[in-house]
Each structure stands twice: as structure tokens, then as C-alpha cells.
Amino acid sequence: MSVDQAVTPMMQKLNARVLGSGSQTLVMAHGFGCDQRIWQKLLPQLQSLPLKLVLFDYAGCGGSQVDEDAIADYPDLQAYADDLLALLAELQLSSVLLLAHSISSAIGMLAAIRQPQRFKKVLAITPSARYQNAPDYYGGFDTADIEQLLQLMAQNQFGWAGILAPKVLDEPENSVVSQQLTQSFLSNNPAFSRHFARLVFYVDIRAALPQVPIPVTIFYTKADMIVPQQAIDYLVAKLPQARAVLLNVRGHYPQLCQPQLLAEQIKRELGYGVV
């Protein structure tokens, strides 16, 4: 944390940290089943840049000071977006760059619609507007698939993580990154994780996409079982200002599998080139 940064109530609630300094602020928002530690491999690359970095944990994740009694306060993704906006307000930040992984891309877009002055651009890593298939839309999951995952999470509090992690990474079960992601999944409050999972997999922000007032750069990967190519194409078609960049990475978590490659793309996007 910056030496002159006082801890605000939202910083404490969301276990937020402010690192470094610079004219630009990059807010790093993790996805489902994770917390700010998911960025550890990427941080050394970003800390070499003249950036102020803001990291945090969503309610129920990592070191957030929110217990499962507060689940009712989070009926939809907008509640998570409102927490993000409250954090930025307390830190007196505007025109930030948002590095958002997976569902955080949707959360960030909702936040930008509500308070556009807070954001300059979203850098969306493996995003989607909707994960559930519909007659006119392919998101990658049938309702039966989603219910099976939610049932597994309810019945086997620990086993689901070891099953899901290697699949979303497209890695062997015994790989280092699979084990890292499994532990990340298990570090969050189980009741909050089940609640968040239901919100994530049944989310649908398609109608909101034309209202997103800022540019969105989409980083997507190969063999992503969570986000098919059709979902990326849909975002590019419906967002007012969007472009997509294909990373030569497999799976849903390039920040774990190829952090150097992702860092190079982020640097280009922020105008720093490749160092």
C-alpha cells in the first residue's frame, strides 16, 4: 500500500490495496472463485510501469470483511458493481483503467453505465455477456449444465474445485496452475461462492451492452470452455466501442498460464509498448 494511503471503510471491507503511483490508475478486478491473489504472476510486470494499481476482493472472496449473513445484500451483479463504485469514490478515483477478468467484465460494464466518469476503459479478459444458451444465443452452457455445477458445489464443498479447475484451465489435474486455482476456489466463503456462482452463470447483460459508454478491449483465448468464440463475437458486435485481441493461450486464465504474454498485451494497450 502507498505510504500516504489511509484505509477507508470500503478498503477494509474489500481488503483493498493501493500499490505504486502514476498518472494512470489500473484497477484489477478478479473473477468468480478467486481473489486478488490471482494477479500475483502479473503484478511484477505491471509494477514496473508508472501506474497506480488498485487490488481488492469482492464480498465473500479472499480477505473481504463480509460474511455469509450479508448474502442478501447481493441479489444481483449490480450490488457488486456498486461496491466497486463505492471503493473508487472513497479513493477519489476517476477515469481509471479497469483490468477485469471474466465476470468482472460484466460488473465493470454495469458500473461504467451507472457512473461513466469513474472509468476510462475496460480491459476485459475472457468476458461474456451471458453464459447460458438461449434460442438466439450461444453462451456455452445449457441450463442442465449450470444446475449440475451448482448441485456439485452444494453437495461436495471441496471436490467441485478440483474437478472444475483443470477443465477451465485446459490443464492436467496435477499441474501446478490447476492446484493453484483449486486452492483459490477453496479459499472463498462456500455459501458466498455458491451464491455468486448462481448469479454468474445466470447473468444476462446483453440488453445493457449498447449503453456501455467507454471503450472495451477484449482479450480472449483458445480452448476456453467458459467463453466460446460466439460469445466474444457477440460482445464485439453489440458494444459501441469494442475490439478483440486473441491471445496465444489455452483456457480461461491467461494471467495464470501465460502472465508474460498477457502483460505484453496490457502494456501495448496502455501505451507503454513492450519493455
Side-chain angles (χ1 to χ4, degrees):
M1 184 179 298
S2 301
V3 293
D4 58 347
Q5 179 67 60
V7 177
T8 68
M10 283 304 298
M11 287 185 70
Q12 186 171 16
K13 178 181 177 180
L14 302 183
N15 189 33
R17 295 185 292 156
V18 179
L19 307 174
S21 60
S23 58
Q24 294 193 96
T25 298
L26 182 69
V27 178
M28 306 173 71
H30 65 83
F32 163 74
C34 302
D35 57 42
Q36 62 186 270
R37 289 173 293 184
I38 203 71
W39 303 114
Q40 283 303 112
K41 293 183 177 180
L42 197 60
L43 270 180
Q45 298 287 330
L46 299 181
Q47 286 183 288
S48 67
L49 303 174
L51 287 172
K52 178 185 290 185
L53 304 176
V54 178
L55 298 94
F56 68 96
D57 300 332
Y58 285 114
C61 300
S64 65
Q65 301 300 300
V66 182
D67 60 31
E68 61 187 73
D69 293 336
I71 285 177
D73 296 332
Y74 295 87
D76 51 31
L77 286 190
Q78 188 63 57
Y80 292 87
D82 289 345
D83 270 2
L84 172 57
L85 291 172
L87 176 64
L88 296 181
E90 284 193 355
L91 294 176
Q92 300 180 3
L93 293 173
S94 59
S95 297
V96 304
L97 301 155
L98 181 68
L99 182 64
H101 178 235
S102 195
I103 193 61
S104 271
S105 302
I107 293 171
M109 291 179 205
L110 292 175
I113 291 170
R114 181 156 290 187
Q115 294 186 21
Q117 76 278 10
R118 296 289 177 194
F119 302 93
K120 181 179 180 181
K121 180 185 292 186
V122 176
L123 308 181
I125 303 170
T126 57
S128 182
R130 174 179 167 132
Y131 301 90
Q132 183 186 18
N133 296 329
D136 61 343
Y137 175 83
Y138 184 70
F141 293 86
D142 290 327
T143 303
D145 301 327
I146 297 171
E147 288 300 319
Q148 185 177 22
L149 172 61
L150 295 174
Q151 186 176 24
L152 178 62
M153 292 180 70
Q155 293 176 344
N156 193 334
Q157 180 174 325
F158 302 105
W160 71 270
I163 295 171
L164 185 62
K167 291 183 178 180
V168 297
L169 287 165
D170 196 39
E171 288 272 344
E173 289 185 20
N174 60 353
S175 72
V176 173
V177 287
S178 290
Q179 293 172 4
Q180 288 174 339
L181 187 58
T182 298
Q183 289 305 309
S184 176
F185 286 164
L186 295 176
S187 68
N188 294 329
N189 180 288
F192 241 115
S193 287
R194 292 192 296 271
H195 173 72
F196 197 22
R198 181 169 291 277
L199 293 182
V200 168
F201 284 103
Y202 283 118
V203 72
D204 187 354
I205 67 160
R206 290 179 297 167
L209 295 178
Q211 304 171 47
V212 176
I214 56 173
V216 179
T217 298
I218 297 166
F219 297 125
Y220 69 106
T221 65
K222 305 174 181 178
D224 185 348
M225 71 159 287
I226 302 292
V227 182
Q229 179 69 51
Q230 293 94 322
I232 299 297
D233 294 341
Y234 187 91
L235 285 168
V236 173
K238 299 299 182 181
L239 286 165
Q241 305 174 72
R243 69 185 189 92
V245 178
L246 175 62
L247 303 178
N248 188 24
V249 187
R250 298 179 67 83
H252 193 62
Y253 291 80
Q255 68 270 53
L256 281 181
C257 298
Q258 291 286 347
Q260 177 70 35
L261 177 61
L262 179 59
E264 290 174 358
Q265 292 294 339
I266 293 170
K267 288 175 182 178
R268 288 192 181 99
E269 192 64 27
L270 301 186
Y272 296 111
V274 180
V275 179

